[in-house]
Amino acid sequence: MEDYKTVLIPDETEIEIKKSRFINMVFHIETEEEADAILAEIRKKHYKATHVCWAYVLNTNPRRQKASDDGEPSGTAGKPILEVIDHRELKDVLVVVIRYFGGVKLGTGGLIRAYGGGASDVLNHCTVVKKQFSDQLEVVVSYSSYGGLSNGLMEREVIPINEDFGENVTLFFQIPVAETSGFLAWIEDKTNGTAQIIRSEPAFVDVVFTL
């Protein structure tokens, strides 16, 4: 499983180009059915819109993607939106750009810039997270080992997601899978082999990421 970037919270922006109104939206999706349901709601709400153009990329193997020009000249709307998603290496994302025609034609180049620009505008505005495939670890140490281990963790800038102080100290970590072996070797060395390691199934965790 590979790490990937996505958007979890829907967002919306709006721009005007030569009297045409472009409403730009982004959504987190994980299936084609989710995308279809969102698009149906948008079309219902914006039934007076001239075009509802969109593109999405799913985190599947092989990767699944789709785009629509919705009546605009071929390749001038869905493709530019998809290219913005790809350029930013996003997955499980649907981007929609709605156009209310303002009476002035933009031409092929103008449409490509408008739809690509709309996609960029909303993605610039939203919060992107990295889905990081991580091992779930519990590290159990004695109180005598805890102080030195805690100081070492601060030096490495590794922060436990939780700590439990009982008969011993249990520290909970989410460590990127590729870094787990090195981290556990360091734990063993730091605690002279006395730490008890409990390793659960790896899972995706959300890490805020700035584009």
Side-chain angles (χ1 to χ4, degrees):
M1 302 291 284
E2 295 182 354
D3 298 350
Y4 66 99
K5 292 179 286 186
T6 190
V7 172
L8 297 181
I9 302 173
D11 214 328
E12 179 178 328
T13 63
E14 185 174 328
I15 57 178
E16 184 177 312
I17 301 173
K18 293 185 178 179
K19 299 184 180 179
S20 278
R21 179 186 173 203
F22 291 87
I23 302 171
N24 319 300
M25 301 177 174
V26 61
F27 303 88
H28 178 80
I29 58 168
E30 296 182 5
T31 65
E32 290 179 296
E33 290 74 19
E34 286 182 86
D36 290 342
I38 290 170
L39 289 167
E41 285 296 317
I42 290 173
R43 292 189 186 100
K44 182 178 179 181
K45 180 179 179 181
H46 292 276
Y47 65 94
K48 291 185 178 181
T50 316
H51 305 280
V52 177
C53 305
W54 51 268
Y56 65 72
V57 176
L58 296 176
N59 185 43
T60 54
N61 187 17
R63 189 181 76 160
R64 190 173 303 144
Q65 65 183 41
K66 200 169 182 180
S68 171
D69 295 313
D70 192 37
E72 293 282 27
S74 179
T76 62
K79 184 179 178 181
I81 296 170
L82 183 60
E83 287 176 347
V84 171
I85 297 172
D86 283 342
H87 179 71
R88 302 193 184 212
E89 300 177 333
L90 298 172
K91 296 180 181 179
D92 284 352
V93 163
L94 165 67
V95 175
V96 183
V97 180
I98 303 162
R99 183 187 185 189
Y100 284 86
F101 183 55
V104 179
K105 292 184 178 181
L106 300 182
T108 299
L111 288 171
I112 292 171
R113 287 189 294 273
Y115 282 101
S120 293
D121 189 62
V122 72
L123 291 176
N124 286 340
H125 189 261
C126 70
T127 299
V128 172
V129 301
K130 179 168 73 171
K131 287 284 189 177
Q132 181 175 277
F133 198 55
S134 302
D135 278 311
Q136 315 298 302
L137 305 175
E138 297 179 35
V139 178
V140 183
V141 297
S142 65
Y143 280 89
S144 60
S145 298
Y146 173 71
L149 179 61
S150 182
N151 289 335
L153 289 168
M154 284 191 289
E155 291 174 2
R156 290 174 67 96
E157 297 184 345
V158 177
I159 302 173
I161 61 171
N162 197 12
E163 296 180 335
D164 181 62
F165 296 90
E167 183 177 344
N168 293 298
V169 183
T170 304
L171 298 89
F172 300 85
F173 297 94
Q174 293 174 327
I175 303 296
V177 169
E179 301 174 13
T180 299
S181 295
F183 177 71
L184 292 181
W186 178 81
I187 291 284
E188 289 288 310
D189 179 67
K190 200 70 178 176
T191 62
N192 296 315
T194 61
Q196 178 187 358
I197 309 296
I198 302 170
R199 191 170 179 173
S200 302
E201 286 293 320
F204 281 110
V205 300
D206 299 338
V207 179
V208 175
F209 186 89
T210 302
L211 285 175

